[in-house]
Amino acid sequence: MAKINNAFITLASIFALASAAQSCITINDLNVPGAEILNITSILQTNVSAPAPPPDPAYTGISFCDVTIVLTHPGGNDTVTVEIWLPTTGWNSRFQATGGGGFSSGIGSALLGPAVAQGYSAASTDGGNLGFGFQINPEAFDSDYNVIPGIFEDYIYRSVHDMAVVGKAVTEIYYGKAPSFSYWNGCSTGGRQGVNEAQMYPDDFNGIMAAAPVINLGQDVIAFEWPYIVMNNEKTFPSQCVFNTFLNASIAQCDGLDGVKDGLISNIKDCDFDPYSLVGKQVECDGTSNTISHSVATVYRKILEGPRTPSGEQLWYGLELGVRTNDLYTGDANTATSNGTTIAVPFPVTDEWIKYFLKLDPSYDTSTITYAESAELFAQSVNDMVNSSSNNPDLSPFHKAGGKMIVWHGLSDNIAPPGGTLNYRHRVESLMGGTGAVDDFWRLFFVPGISHCGGGYGPVPTDPLAAIVAWVENGTAPDTLAAQFTDPSGAVVNHDICRYPLVSRHDGKGDPKVASSYTCAESF
Ligand SMILES: *[C@@H]1O[C@H](CO)[C@@H](O)[C@H](O)[C@H]1NC(C)=O
Ligand SMILES: *[C@@H]1O[C@H](CO)[C@@H](O)[C@H](O)[C@H]1NC(C)=O
Ligand SMILES: *[C@@H]1O[C@H](CO)[C@@H](O)[C@H](O)[C@H]1NC(C)=O
Ligand SMILES: *[C@@H]1O[C@H](CO)[C@@H](O)[C@H](O)[C@H]1NC(C)=O
Ligand SMILES: *[C@@H]1O[C@H](CO)[C@@H](O)[C@H](O)[C@H]1NC(C)=O
Ligand SMILES: *[C@@H]1O[C@H](CO)[C@@H](O)[C@H](O)[C@H]1NC(C)=O
Ligand SMILES: *[C@@H]1O[C@H](CO)[C@@H](O)[C@H](O)[C@H]1NC(C)=O
């Protein structure tokens, strides 16, 4: 009797173990054109929590079938992992692919938890691991520091397309029904991946939500180094507090241009803030009293101007007036102050970019880059990346396929200049018949006060993904994007973000915290 009991207990614990790591899908046949599947595993995740994008709390109590697929591209020297989360109950018949940031293609994205909680089957990919966040992965380079071409292709375009193919197929196998609609959701690198899909694989997604897209890769990434190059060449290193003096003065001057004083510069175009107007001003910063010098004002002006050649020719866009240099993420104009000494700190992604992609020398010292060398590096970057910059303006196949796209970009972005996104928009408009024609399938929203992908100060889009879903599935093209934030006094501020080229204008009388107090106007 005792023996049988023991056997029972043993069997029961084997079952317990098995259910702790229970596979949840059988995949016999998965065909990914151009790729070879190396491995498929699955595990049932029951009542687990998943991180959400800050400041949202983690999503708890979610249950899903967690499928991991490893594949390679013959000759590509790459190993790519795709992970798909399939909600065990309440699938909403939609598929959502999620994007990455920096050098990450997005595996383990914080967008997965919210997606699954809303009933999407959702996917992310490591894109072959070109890098991890801000850091390059040295294993993606050969012994001469040349990037392994297959891994670079994965990062630029291939792995996102594979994820769409794999994610939709696995979704269909699990539920016995193909997803009714497929969506892209991402910011920064994730924004670039989404816009690139519209360019290269117009049938992958019905709807694309791409925020702060780092398109124009050849121009953008090298331009991120410009503030660091300026500070080193001017031998002037303003602390973040000193930068904030300029921010505050520009807000004080230009906040009201849209008809309301709300701490935001919405009308950047008409703001003629002159950094030199602060020269000689005394500011209390970092525990000491500072006088704003001419060279500090020059640094600020050059950061807003963006990269130029030594003779003054503009190469690319700078950060915009109202930029919050010290916000949320380490930005392009980062400095570190300790013991009264301030040093310039480069944006890590770009520092790696210059060392690995342009100089092929991981020990290259970027602090020595002169203005002349900066212009050469810019030209090299644009040339090297001519076919990989995710900025092909021909979106007609995407338009023809019925795709819809929403792009939003914070005007106070401290990493990716909003001017790059506008430049792309203008190129698409010239090719495709102007603003109205492009608005039929792509709407663009610039968000005052908001930094790279979020943060900053001011109302931030609350659910742009819901807006693209409504557009795709109901034909409701968004004229505005609902946005909200809680101001420092604790009051909830609602604002509808106007679509480009319209701008928000206060009606002169309504409560500035209420969205209906504003209209979208042709100009201020
Ligand atoms: C697939 O992955 C699992 C889990 O990592 C591992 O145990 C297994 O050996 C792999 N199979 C193949 C064929 O690589
Ligand atoms: C889910 O997990 C939470 C936290 O671990 C626990 O409190 C709750 O009882 C669990 N629910 C179920 C249905 O297992
Ligand atoms: C790919 O890998 C093979 C074997 O590991 C190696 O001989 C070859 O040089 C690699 N190719 C590239 C482009 O790195
Ligand atoms: C800028 O304004 C903010 C908000 O009012 C304030 O907290 C900060 O101290 C100001 N910074 C400087 C350098 O004046
Ligand atoms: C700051 O200065 C003090 C006194 O000179 C020194 O002991 C300390 O190490 C310094 N701290 C840093 C971070 O440099
Ligand atoms: C870009 O593509 C064109 C046309 O396919 C090709 O001739 C050229 O070599 C490519 N340039 C780079 C830098 O890869
Ligand atoms: C589409 O419109 C219907 C009717 O107004 C509404 O119930 C539904 O929620 C909408 N769906 C989406 C995705 O917006």
Side-chain angles (χ1 to χ4, degrees):
M1 199 64 187
K3 257 189 174 162
I4 291 167
N5 247 344
N6 273 345
F8 236 86
I9 288 161
T10 308
L11 264 182
S13 31
I14 287 168
F15 269 105
L17 271 178
S19 71
Q22 191 184 322
S23 83
C24 44
I25 192 169
T26 305
I27 299 174
N28 298 316
D29 191 19
L30 183 61
N31 179 31
V32 186
E36 185 189 316
I37 306 287
L38 297 179
N39 199 355
I40 301 177
T41 52
S42 71
I43 173 171
L44 185 66
Q45 308 275 13
T46 307
N47 192 25
V48 296
S49 66
D56 295 346
Y59 281 79
T60 55
I62 52 177
S63 300
F64 53 93
C65 178
D66 182 352
V67 184
T68 301
I69 292 175
V70 182
L71 55 82
T72 186
H73 301 89
N77 282 26
D78 60 341
T79 309
V80 177
T81 298
V82 182
E83 190 171 2
I84 305 123
W85 290 10
L86 303 145
T88 48
T89 56
W91 180 48
N92 67 13
S93 296
R94 301 181 181 105
F95 169 66
Q96 182 184 144
T98 63
F103 292 116
S104 295
S105 289
I107 194 90
S109 164
L111 297 170
L112 292 173
V116 167
Q118 289 173 48
Y120 288 88
S121 72
S124 64
T125 178
D126 71 3
N129 289 325
L130 178 67
F132 309 101
F134 285 175
Q135 301 301 315
I136 234 25
N137 173 15
E139 287 176 18
F141 292 76
D142 69 15
S143 52
D144 295 325
Y145 302 114
N146 287 299
V147 69
I148 294 170
I151 297 180
F152 191 62
E153 285 173 49
D154 289 339
Y155 175 77
I156 294 295
Y157 69 92
R158 187 164 55 187
S159 61
V160 173
H161 174 61
D162 288 348
M163 166 164 57
V165 172
V166 170
K168 290 187 209 178
V170 169
T171 299
E172 180 167 3
I173 292 166
Y174 187 73
Y175 298 109
K177 176 177 168 290
S180 306
F181 298 97
S182 296
Y183 294 94
W184 175 262
N185 192 10
C187 186
S188 192
T189 288
R192 180 192 66 75
Q193 291 168 315
V195 175
N196 190 76
E197 276 285 300
Q199 296 163 12
M200 291 184 70
Y201 298 100
D203 299 314
D204 277 357
F205 300 109
N206 304 102
I208 291 173
M209 205 304 291
V214 185
I215 47 174
N216 308 295
L217 213 52
Q219 291 88 343
D220 243 9
V221 183
I222 183 70
F224 300 169
E225 196 85 345
W226 176 247
Y228 179 66
I229 293 168
V230 167
M231 288 188 269
N232 288 325
N233 279 271
E234 301 298 326
K235 299 187 171 51
T236 301
F237 308 98
S239 70
Q240 293 300 309
C241 173
V242 168
F243 278 138
N244 283 345
T245 309
F246 288 90
L247 169 66
N248 287 2
S250 62
I251 292 172
Q253 180 180 326
C254 297
D255 179 357
L257 291 177
D258 59 346
V260 65
K261 288 249 180 200
D262 56 359
L264 294 167
I265 308 177
S266 300
N267 185 355
I268 282 178
K269 210 163 36 93
D270 294 335
C271 180
D272 63 352
F273 172 73
D274 175 11
Y276 292 105
S277 66
L278 294 191
V279 173
K281 185 180 155 70
Q282 291 291 123
V283 296
E284 287 297 321
C285 269
D286 316 304
T288 53
S289 185
N290 301 254
T291 308
I292 301 287
S293 64
H294 192 271
S295 58
V296 164
T298 297
V299 164
Y300 201 73
R301 178 178 58 88
K302 284 178 179 285
I303 289 172
L304 299 183
E305 276 178 358
R308 299 202 166 199
T309 65
S311 63
E313 185 200 337
Q314 183 171 9
L315 294 170
W316 199 241
Y317 306 92
L319 302 172
E320 296 292 341
L321 266 171
V323 61
R324 294 175 178 268
T325 51
N326 63 343
D327 197 60
L328 194 62
Y329 299 100
T330 305
D332 304 343
N334 195 19
T335 55
T337 303
S338 97
N339 272 356
T341 304
T342 299
I343 55 164
V345 181
F347 180 57
V349 170
T350 299
D351 231 47
E352 295 273 271
W353 180 265
I354 292 171
K355 291 173 185 176
Y356 280 88
F357 289 101
L358 301 181
K359 289 300 192 179
L360 311 189
D361 174 7
S363 64
Y364 178 74
D365 180 1
T366 56
S367 74
T368 65
I369 299 171
T370 62
Y371 283 134
E373 286 164 348
S374 156
E376 286 162 17
L377 286 171
F378 187 90
Q380 184 194 345
S381 180
V382 172
N383 189 56
D384 288 359
M385 295 294 295
V386 65
N387 298 329
S388 313
S389 273
S390 303
N391 62 357
N392 177 352
D394 185 4
L395 296 177
S396 38
F398 180 69
H399 184 209
K400 212 174 197 172
K404 301 285 186 278
M405 181 160 77
I406 288 176
V407 172
W408 73 264
H409 200 136
L411 279 176
S412 297
D413 196 312
N414 54 344
I415 298 176
T421 293
L422 187 57
N423 174 293
Y424 178 67
R425 171 79 187 196
H426 285 155
R427 292 174 57 229
V428 175
E429 288 185 358
S430 331
L431 191 72
M432 297 191 62
T435 303
V438 175
D439 271 349
D440 280 349
F441 68 95
W442 168 24
R443 296 199 172 190
L444 172 61
F445 301 84
F446 287 112
V447 187
I450 298 304
S451 290
H452 192 62
C453 299
Y457 181 94
V460 68
T462 40
D463 197 352
L465 184 69
I468 195 79
V469 171
W471 192 3
V472 166
E473 298 182 19
N474 274 358
T476 320
D479 285 325
T480 57
L481 277 190
Q484 190 182 78
F485 93 127
T486 304
D487 78 10
S489 77
V492 173
V493 179
N494 284 293
H495 203 141
D496 294 335
I497 307 300
C498 298
R499 79 172 195 270
Y500 169 83
L502 302 182
V503 287
S504 170
R505 194 167 54 191
H506 187 246
D507 65 7
K509 48 186 196 296
D511 182 346
K513 299 188 196 60
V514 175
S516 59
S517 304
Y518 301 84
T519 52
C520 293
E522 297 281 336
S523 66
F524 290 96

